[in-house]
Amino acid sequence: GYQMRKNRANVIDIMLALDTSGSMQFEDYAVAGRKANRLDVAKDALRDFINRRKANPSDRFGVDRIGLVLFAKYAWTQCPLTLDYGLFSHEVDEAKFASKEKDGTAIGSAIGLSVARLRDSEAKSKVIILLTDGINNRGELDPITAAGIAKQYGIRVYTIGAGSAEQGTTMVNGMIPVRREPIDEDALRKIADTTGGKYYRAADTEQLLAAYAE
């Protein structure tokens, strides 16, 4: 590992923040012609994202450190920053929908926690890529305030709004009623603009994969 640490100057530290709220169960994506829920497609996109950052597909370790924050009612670190993409991939697999008690969308908290994880890093670039399908409605930290803090530490935040624009309640698996809120595109755009990142709208699977690829 020493060899890699020596050259920290040109690498990027990336915290991926992923919404696991109940509405991520909504099946408005398609994969290979079949309906797919937002979380499964997002997880595929994260796997694709890390594979693109390896020198060889068979490598277990990558060049950039990548970490994973999950959020619903609150935010937590699922995987600390690591060069071990095998470990990261395992933690992506483990990501599940929030239970009813833990449901909600704490976007500000997710950015705040990601900033805390990146703050002391010596990497040349520090980036947060946050995917959500809703509106900040939980947590102590307002998303725009959180974006201001990220900016102070030179961290760019890229935001992805996932899912179709439909609102209302839908049944998932024919039995679980899931409420869909509109995506707060204004806030997601503002977060990106404040920090020098970019906002992506991902209404379908291709757009979602393309957002991470870019």
Side-chain angles (χ1 to χ4, degrees):
Y2 175 69
Q3 214 59 42
M4 299 189 93
R5 270 203 297 278
K6 210 169 57 175
N7 306 325
R8 294 293 299 148
N10 298 322
V11 299
I12 311 171
D13 274 354
I14 304 165
M15 281 310 288
L16 292 154
L18 180 62
D19 189 335
T20 57
S21 61
S23 55
M24 290 289 285
Q25 295 174 77
F26 185 53
E27 297 174 336
D28 54 353
Y29 285 118
V31 174
R34 284 211 295 275
K35 284 209 301 193
N37 68 55
R38 295 168 176 180
L39 185 62
D40 284 344
V41 173
K43 285 162 73 161
D44 283 347
L46 292 190
R47 291 185 199 102
D48 182 59
F49 177 79
I50 59 169
N51 286 334
R52 285 169 187 269
R53 307 197 79 76
K54 293 178 187 174
N56 303 297
S58 60
D59 289 355
R60 175 167 178 169
F61 294 89
V63 178
D64 303 314
R65 286 198 307 171
I66 297 186
L68 181 63
V69 162
L70 301 181
F71 64 98
K73 186 178 183 176
Y74 50 84
W76 65 96
T77 305
Q78 180 81 3
C79 182
L81 284 165
T82 181
L83 291 166
D84 184 342
Y85 288 12
L87 172 71
F88 177 89
S89 194
H90 171 74
E91 293 301 341
V92 169
D93 295 342
E94 294 292 301
K96 312 263 192 309
F97 299 111
S99 62
K100 274 220 165 53
E101 308 77 74
K102 292 181 184 159
D103 204 6
T105 310
I107 295 170
S109 304
I111 295 171
L113 179 57
S114 300
V115 167
R117 288 280 171 185
L118 288 168
R119 199 168 52 194
D120 303 324
S121 150
E122 285 161 27
K124 187 179 181 188
S125 315
K126 295 182 268 198
V127 169
I128 296 166
I129 305 174
L130 177 131
L131 178 140
T132 184
D133 71 342
I135 290 174
N136 187 73
N137 56 16
R138 293 284 187 280
E140 303 296 303
L141 189 57
D142 168 76
I144 308 302
T145 308
I149 299 167
K151 186 186 181 182
Q152 283 170 5
Y153 287 105
I155 300 168
R156 281 176 310 188
V157 186
Y158 292 84
T159 52
I160 301 171
S164 62
E166 294 173 53
Q167 294 173 44
T169 303
T170 185
M171 299 304 264
V172 173
N173 300 333
M175 53 190 188
I176 311 161
V178 172
R179 169 103 191 116
R180 296 198 306 288
E181 303 291 341
I183 298 165
D184 190 349
E185 294 203 86
D186 287 347
L188 294 180
R189 210 172 266 116
K190 211 167 180 178
I191 291 162
D193 289 349
T194 300
T195 61
K198 190 174 165 187
Y199 168 63
Y200 298 89
R201 183 78 183 83
D204 59 41
T205 303
E206 269 162 60
Q207 288 179 338
L208 185 69
L209 291 168
Y212 280 104
E214 191 181 317

